[in-house]
């Protein structure tokens, strides 16, 4: 079963044929909401809205450990994380869909490991490639089959939020090599890695990052709401194609 974590613009999955909801209790507290189980294109899937059903949990307050633990507890074979981002790289426009391949983490003070219990041995997971290559390929293939244009390969910068960045901070992120900026990609990705669950992201560019393009003098999300909604429609189609495709039952984490 594949899991989808939805972010801003994707608090429900319209194409999920819901069979049941479950509030999962975890050793780390409450997940963002009940897990919603069902089928997408005839295949089992589970959905979790990262910011809660009322979109009330800000990025730095999300209980990432509880969310990931709950999905792992249900033995999901892979996680697709959907999130909106700001575009830093010059060719990225609002509405673009991007599948990132690398992460730079600027978040702080978040609970970012499962390996911090009193009697837990010190554990260092390999995170050279933060996203699962096979799952990324499957996203790319599903988009190609649908003729949906996506941009592959980019560096995601995870910032603390909930405020947006200054123009100078975006310049710094660009110098660091970042193409996209968002607030929720970490520690989600590393917690999935610690649990051994393949994880990949689909990012939707909601706006030009601060000080860039039409955000030169400020970021105005209101005017971009429609772009985001339309793009999330394309994301839903990609997810439906991916989950429903015959190789959906192939074990994740293996290259094709
Ligand atoms: N910065 C950080 N996170 C974001 C942005 C942004 O510009 N847009 C959407 N999420």
């Amino acid at each position: 079963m594949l899991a989808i974590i939805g972010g801003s613009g994707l608090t429900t999955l319209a194409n999920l044929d819901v069979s049941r909801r479950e509030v999962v209790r975890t050793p780390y507290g409450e997940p963002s909401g009940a897990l919603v189980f069902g089928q997408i294109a005839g295949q089992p899937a589970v959905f979790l809205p990262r910011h809660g059903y009322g979109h009330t949990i800000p990025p730095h307050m999300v209980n990432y450990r509880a969310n990931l633990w709950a999905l792992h507890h249900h033995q999901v074979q892979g996680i697709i994380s959907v999130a909106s981002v700001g575009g830093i790289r010059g060719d990225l426009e609002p509405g673009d869909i991007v599948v990132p391949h690398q992460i730079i983490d600027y978040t702080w003070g978040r609970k970012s490991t499962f390996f911090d219990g009193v009697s837990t041995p010190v554990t260092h997971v390999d995170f050279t490639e933060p996203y699962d290559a096979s799952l990324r390929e499957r996203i790319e293939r599903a988009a190609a089959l649908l003729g949906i244009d996506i941009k592959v390969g980019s560096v995601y910068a995870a910032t603390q939020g909930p405020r947006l960045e200054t123009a100078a901070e975006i310049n710094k992120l660009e110098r660091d090599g970042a193409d996209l900026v968002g607030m929720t990609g970490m520690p989600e990705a590393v917690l999935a890695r610690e649990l051994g669950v393949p994880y990949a992201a689909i990012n939707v560019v909601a706006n030009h990052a601060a000080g860039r393009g039409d955000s030169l003098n400020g970021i105005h999300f209101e005017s971009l709401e429609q772009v985001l909604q339309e793009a999330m429609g394309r994301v839903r189609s990609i997810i439906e194609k991916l989950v429903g495709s015959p190789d959906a039952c192939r074990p994740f984490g293996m290259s094709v």
Side-chain angles (χ1 to χ4, degrees):
M1 174 174 61
L2 194 68
I4 296 107
I5 302 179
S8 303
L10 196 80
T11 44
T12 56
L13 252 192
N15 48 2
L16 178 68
D17 188 7
V18 177
S19 53
R20 69 187 175 93
R21 291 182 165 74
E22 184 178 327
V23 177
V24 183
R25 303 206 184 288
T26 87
Y28 303 97
E30 296 280 311
S32 297
L35 301 189
V36 183
F37 293 88
Q39 297 208 324
I40 297 176
Q43 298 290 332
V46 55
F47 179 76
L48 176 65
R50 183 183 294 110
H51 300 287
Y53 287 97
H55 204 265
T56 51
I57 311 170
H60 65 297
M61 303 280 282
V62 170
N63 190 339
Y64 295 95
R65 292 200 299 184
N67 287 352
L68 274 289
W69 191 95
L71 295 174
H72 182 245
H73 179 68
H74 280 280
Q75 293 164 358
V76 300
Q77 293 166 294
I79 297 173
I80 296 187
S81 157
V82 181
S84 65
V85 292
I88 300 176
R89 211 173 61 209
D91 66 315
L92 295 177
E93 292 295 327
D96 281 354
I97 297 174
V98 188
V99 177
H101 75 293
Q102 274 295 333
I103 297 176
I104 305 177
D105 187 12
Y106 300 92
T107 65
W108 48 269
R110 302 183 182 187
K111 298 215 181 307
S112 56
T113 181
F114 289 109
F115 299 121
D116 62 355
V118 270
S119 48
T120 311
V122 174
T123 306
H124 305 286
V125 289
D126 174 52
F127 204 43
T128 310
E129 298 294 335
Y131 299 108
D132 183 75
S134 158
L135 202 45
R136 283 176 49 221
E137 268 172 37
R138 290 187 52 200
I139 297 168
E140 290 166 30
R141 210 175 322 136
L145 285 170
L146 292 165
I148 294 176
D149 217 20
I150 61 171
K151 299 202 156 119
V152 297
S154 58
V155 178
Y156 174 103
T159 55
Q160 178 69 359
R163 68 164 177 85
L164 292 155
E165 300 72 34
T166 65
E169 285 170 335
I170 293 298
N171 290 339
K172 171 188 151 66
L173 297 188
E174 186 172 51
R175 286 195 300 274
D176 283 357
D179 302 306
L180 308 167
V181 57
M183 301 173 189
T184 56
M186 285 294 282
E188 206 173 78
V190 74
L191 292 170
R193 176 61 51 85
E194 286 191 352
L195 293 170
V197 182
Y199 176 97
I202 303 180
N203 291 139
V204 174
V205 179
N207 55 283
H208 289 119
R212 303 292 162 102
D214 48 24
S215 301
L216 192 61
N217 299 311
I219 298 177
H220 307 286
F221 282 113
E222 311 77 46
S223 56
L224 296 160
E225 188 57 32
Q226 216 178 335
V227 176
L228 192 58
Q229 284 311 319
E230 185 279 326
M232 286 300 175
R234 279 181 279 137
V235 170
R236 281 192 191 92
S237 306
I238 293 170
I239 290 171
E240 186 169 331
K241 191 71 173 177
L242 187 160
V243 176
S245 67
D247 61 358
C249 297
R250 189 167 50 78
F252 286 90
M254 293 169 58
S255 50
V256 278

